[in-house]
Each structure stands twice: as structure tokens, then as C-alpha cells.
Amino acid sequence: MRGSLEFLLGWFTLYLLLQGGDVFIIMSANDQCLEASLGSSLVLTEKCNPGTHLQDWTWRQDRLYNQGAKRCLSVNETFIVQTAACENGTNLMWSCRNRLLIHMNTTRFLTSDGGAVLISKEKSKKSKWRSTNNTSICEKQLQDNPQVTSATVKKTHERIGAESQNKTQEERTTLEQKLPYPTEDSTNWNYAILALALVTLFLAFLILVLSHRANKRRKLKALNEAQDKNKMDTDSIKKAMIQYGVEVDNITETDQMLQTKQTFVPLNAVAQTPTPKMSPKPGQILVEWKDGNISSLFMDGKEDDV
């Protein structure tokens, strides 16, 4: 009697688990609804149809139960999503976080690819799911199974975090193995390069300053040389002009002396030069020139006329 009572109680509990909870649809980012198939395990995304129960889903603890197919959402060995009998506990556990449906055994994300449905390691826009009126499926899970779901979600998050950390470590190890040389801490090398760059910058600035000063001195020297050359040329011109003036004065004096010599006639020479003596006529005026010539002041013809 007691065994029969426990059997009936177990079936009643299973019935409540299968029948209880709010029914909802699972809608993808491109407004396609997750739909099970009647008589097969196929799961696709189809145009949303409120009149079919194959698109009606409900949470049963950590399982997604389809009202039309009477089966739970599952995953096969090739990571293709399908439905399976809910009594089989393999690959039936799901968790929900931030509109993501996570398969707990593989920690992969439920993803729609065209009309097919699968699970993927990478999160993308195709991994986002929602219910009607943009209601979160995760809220439905918390409403239906508050105690079990909280523990399941926490456990799933811990597994995802651990696997993500392991994946990062594996990728880092793989990258180090692919490198032709071992990687080391490059902090000291970076500081050395920075110090070398600063020293190079200082030397370049010093060379620039010295070059500027040398160019300035060279320009001043060239300017002074040009000024000295101009001064020397000016002095030479002045000396040449002075010498030319002296020479002109000497030439003038020489000419004057020559003229003086030409016009100077000694008195004794004039006296010694024989000149014919002329006896003046009455009323005639005779003039003796410097060269010794004697001539009448008036012409004789004029006197005769008078």
C-alpha cells in the first residue's frame, strides 16, 4: 500500500513538472520562432505562428519542454539542436543569461543559422533570444524555478568563466609555442629604448644649437670681410684720386713752366737782336714790341689821307 502511494506521488510530481509553468515562444534576432517537429527530433526556426503548439515552450527546472512535441530541447554529438525524451537526462540541461541560452554540458550558446539551429562557442547577434513583447526568457526561467535555476545559473556561470580562462591560457600557450623565440618581460627593454630615444633627442637638439651658432659666426665673418674689402677698395680709390690730382697739378705746373720758358726772352737777347731802326715821321707814333719789332701805331695810308 505504501509503495503504491509513493508511485502515485511520483507520477503526480512528474505531471506537475511537465504541466506547470508559463508557456512562451523563443524568438530569434530575425523574428523567427524556435519550432519543434511532430514525429521527429528536428528543430528549426520558422515564421511565428500562435496557432501551433510546436512553438510553445516552458521551463521545467533546467530543461526547455515543447508543448506540441512533448519532448525537451537537446543536442546531439554534432552539436545540432534537436528534441529528445525528457526522461533521458543526457544533454537536456540549459541555462539562461542575458538573453543567451547556454547548453550546460558543453557551455556553448544556442545559435540560429538561417533555418537551422545549433550550438556555437562564439557569442553573436544570432545567439540572442527573447520571448513575446521583448520579454526575457531568463525571467521566465526564474519565475518557474526560482531555487533550482539560481543554483544552476551560478554553476553555469562558474563553468563558463573557468572555461574562458582556460581558453585564454591555452591560446596564450599556443601563441608562445608558435613564436620562434621565447617571450620575456620587455619592460626593461622598453625603458632602455625610451632612455636611448631621450638621449638621441638631446644630442639632436645640441647639434642643432651648435650648428646655428656656427652659421651665425660664419655669416658675421663673411660680413666683416666684405666690409673690410669695401673699405680697402674705398681707400684705394681715394689714394688713386689723390695721386691723380697730384699728377694733374704737376702737369699744370709743367705746362705753365713751359709756357713761361717759351714767352720769356732775355733782355740781352732782345738787345742783341739786330732790328732795323726807324726814324719816326712827324706825327707818327712808333711802338716797340716785346719781340723787338717796331711798327707804327697808325697805318701810313690813313695818315696820307689825312
Side-chain angles (χ1 to χ4, degrees), residues 80-111:
I80 300 298
V81 177
Q82 60 183 12
T83 57
C86 296
E87 293 79 9
N88 183 8
T90 306
N91 295 330
L92 297 178
M93 299 173 62
W94 296 85
S95 177
C96 187
R97 182 186 66 174
N98 297 331
R99 298 177 60 186
L100 298 172
L101 288 173
I102 306 165
H103 188 245
M104 294 179 60
N105 288 359
T106 59
T107 62
R108 291 173 175 253
F109 304 97
L110 183 69
T111 305

Side-chain angles (χ1 to χ4, degrees), residues 124-256:
S124 65
K125 183 179 180 181
K126 296 179 181 181
S127 302
K128 297 289 186 179
W129 301 90
R130 58 186 174 86
S131 184
T132 55
N133 299 326
N134 290 326
T135 304
S136 174
I137 301 174
C138 303
E139 295 178 1
K140 298 288 186 181
Q141 185 182 24
L142 291 173
Q143 291 174 2
D144 294 343
N145 309 281
Q147 296 179 352
V148 178
T149 303
S150 298
T152 304
V153 171
K154 183 178 179 180
K155 184 178 179 181
T156 305
H157 291 178
E158 291 176 355
R159 287 184 58 186
I160 293 175
E163 290 188 1
S164 178
Q165 185 175 1
N166 293 335
K167 182 179 178 181
T168 304
Q169 185 64 30
E170 290 177 359
E171 292 177 351
R172 186 179 301 172
T173 304
T174 304
L175 180 61
E176 292 177 356
Q177 291 176 353
K178 291 182 179 180
L179 291 175
Y181 51 85
T183 58
E184 297 179 357
D185 187 11
S186 60
T187 303
N188 295 332
W189 176 253
N190 293 335
Y191 284 138
I193 293 297
L194 179 61
L196 182 61
L198 292 176
V199 171
T200 305
L201 181 63
F202 174 76
L203 292 177
F205 181 76
L206 181 61
I207 293 173
L208 180 63
V209 173
L210 295 177
S211 176
H212 177 71
R213 290 183 177 179
N215 291 333
K216 187 176 181 180
R217 287 195 297 268
R218 186 163 57 252
K219 289 180 180 179
L220 290 175
K221 183 179 179 180
L223 181 62
N224 293 332
E225 290 179 354
Q227 291 178 353
D228 294 341
K229 185 177 180 180
N230 292 334
K231 186 176 180 181
M232 292 176 62
D233 293 341
T234 303
D235 294 339
S236 300
I237 292 172
K238 287 182 178 180
K239 290 180 179 179
M241 291 180 67
I242 293 173
Q243 185 176 0
Y244 177 75
V246 171
E247 291 179 355
V248 170
D249 293 339
N250 292 334
I251 292 172
T252 304
E253 291 178 358
T254 303
D255 293 340
Q256 291 178 356

Side-chain angles (χ1 to χ4, degrees), residues 278-286 296-301 303-304:
M278 295 179 65
S279 55
K281 296 178 180 182
Q284 186 180 12
I285 299 174
L286 297 176
S296 176
L297 181 61
F298 299 102
M299 297 299 293
D300 295 337
E303 292 179 353
D304 293 337

